[in-house]
Amino acid sequence: MTEQQANRRAGSRRAGGRVSDVAENYLLSLAILHEDGVAPHVSQLASYLRRIPAEEGVGATMPSVSGMVRRMARDGLLQVNRGKEIVLTPTGERLARDVVRRHRLAERLVVDILDVPIDRAEGEAHRLEHAISPALLAKIEEKLGYPDRCPYGRPIYREDEPHLRKEMPGAVKLSETAVGERCEIRQIPDEDYPLLKYMVDNGVLPGQAVTVADNAPYRGVIDLDVDGRRVSIGIEVAQRVRVAPAQG
């Protein structure tokens, strides 16, 4: 899809007042950044949106993102504060929580029921999330046994949960760990597909115990011992990985 076509689709509301697929992708991205403690500027949001599959037709150039942010602000879904940071309004947060819930239950569905490899589940969930009705979502959640985390460790919100969460209780950034520390991976980034495949191929997944072999900001990497194998993680990525002390 061309940038011009993406711009034509970029209205934040469909006829009848429903939120558009493009707006849902913006809300999903803003929700994930919110969970990571980030209120992004337009440039940061544009950078994040470039990771969404191209077939979603989001349009991630600066003019496209700036225009969509203005439209969503007019619709009461977000605000741009004096620091030029984009923050969700209560209405936007409620809608964002709903699309995140659909997205993450879709991830669990394709991994747990349909046996889709975990490194492909994120892309498949993007294709499914817009089409799942509330009634079908309830059935999916029941079938899955009411999971509380997606395959990548992020929270799955309950239907009556009013707010997005920030950070993960008891977990810290991998970048903040010390050499020799034994940790359990709790959450990994899931929107960068080449990175996700690297993490999957090297066993850096939620539930995996690792030992910090070296934490070297001057080299720009953290080295992990994963079941006897040395795996290197860039510092920027390590800032988005969450770990907790390993049990036993």
Side-chain angles (χ1 to χ4, degrees), residues 150-171:
C150 78
Y152 313 105
R154 287 189 177 272
I156 295 176
Y157 298 98
R158 295 291 178 243
E159 184 178 10
D160 59 352
E161 192 168 349
H163 299 296
L164 295 166
R165 304 178 198 173
K166 277 191 178 179
E167 295 300 334
M168 179 184 291

Side-chain angles (χ1 to χ4, degrees), residues 1-2 6 9 49-59 193:
M1 176 175 291
T2 67
R9 290 185 55 198
L49 288 166
R50 292 185 191 110
R51 301 166 180 170
I52 290 176
E55 57 266 28
E56 290 286 296
V58 172
Y193 295 169

Side-chain angles (χ1 to χ4, degrees), residues 44-239:
Q44 292 172 293
L45 178 58
S47 178
Y48 190 91
L49 288 166
R50 292 185 191 110
R51 301 166 180 170
I52 290 176
E55 57 266 28
E56 290 286 296
V58 172
T61 65
M62 286 292 290
S64 292
V65 176
S66 295
M68 188 62 178
V69 166
R70 287 193 296 270
R71 284 187 284 273
M72 292 177 70
R74 285 198 301 269
D75 285 340
L77 303 177
L78 56 81
Q79 295 175 334
V80 180
N81 65 23
R82 291 183 178 180
K84 304 299 183 183
E85 296 170 327
I86 303 167
V87 293
L88 293 165
T89 63
T91 297
E93 183 176 359
R94 175 178 59 80
L95 295 173
R97 182 196 61 82
D98 288 345
V99 70
V100 168
R101 175 171 149 78
R102 274 184 273 131
H103 181 84
R104 293 178 182 162
L105 282 169
E107 289 173 336
R108 286 250 69 109
L109 172 69
V110 299
V111 170
D112 297 354
I113 305 297
L114 303 180
D115 296 323
V116 172
I118 190 171
D119 57 307
R120 286 176 44 202
E122 171 71 6
E124 297 297 341
H126 269 293
R127 297 178 182 95
L128 289 172
E129 65 194 25
H130 308 298
I132 300 175
S133 69
L136 180 58
L137 191 66
K139 289 292 187 182
I140 291 171
E141 186 175 34
E142 180 182 11
K143 180 69 173 179
L144 291 168
Y146 302 94
D148 60 1
R149 293 278 162 181
C150 78
Y152 313 105
R154 287 189 177 272
I156 295 176
Y157 298 98
R158 295 291 178 243
E159 184 178 10
D160 59 352
E161 192 168 349
H163 299 296
L164 295 166
R165 304 178 198 173
K166 277 191 178 179
E167 295 300 334
M168 179 184 291
V172 299
K173 297 176 182 178
L174 177 60
S175 57
E176 298 173 351
T177 55
V179 174
E181 192 169 343
R182 185 74 170 163
C183 308
E184 179 183 307
I185 303 294
R186 292 291 182 85
Q187 178 181 300
I188 62 171
D190 60 356
E191 70 288 338
D192 184 326
Y193 295 169
L195 170 63
L196 180 57
K197 188 172 190 319
Y198 175 82
M199 305 284 267
V200 171
D201 289 347
N202 286 280
V204 184
L205 294 168
Q208 174 67 48
V210 302
T211 300
V212 180
D214 192 17
N215 188 339
Y218 63 91
R219 290 198 296 120
V221 298
I222 288 181
D223 292 330
L224 303 177
D225 184 312
V226 184
D227 291 335
R229 294 175 292 106
R230 184 63 63 93
V231 178
S232 296
I233 303 292
I235 289 293
E236 288 187 7
V237 175
Q239 291 172 345

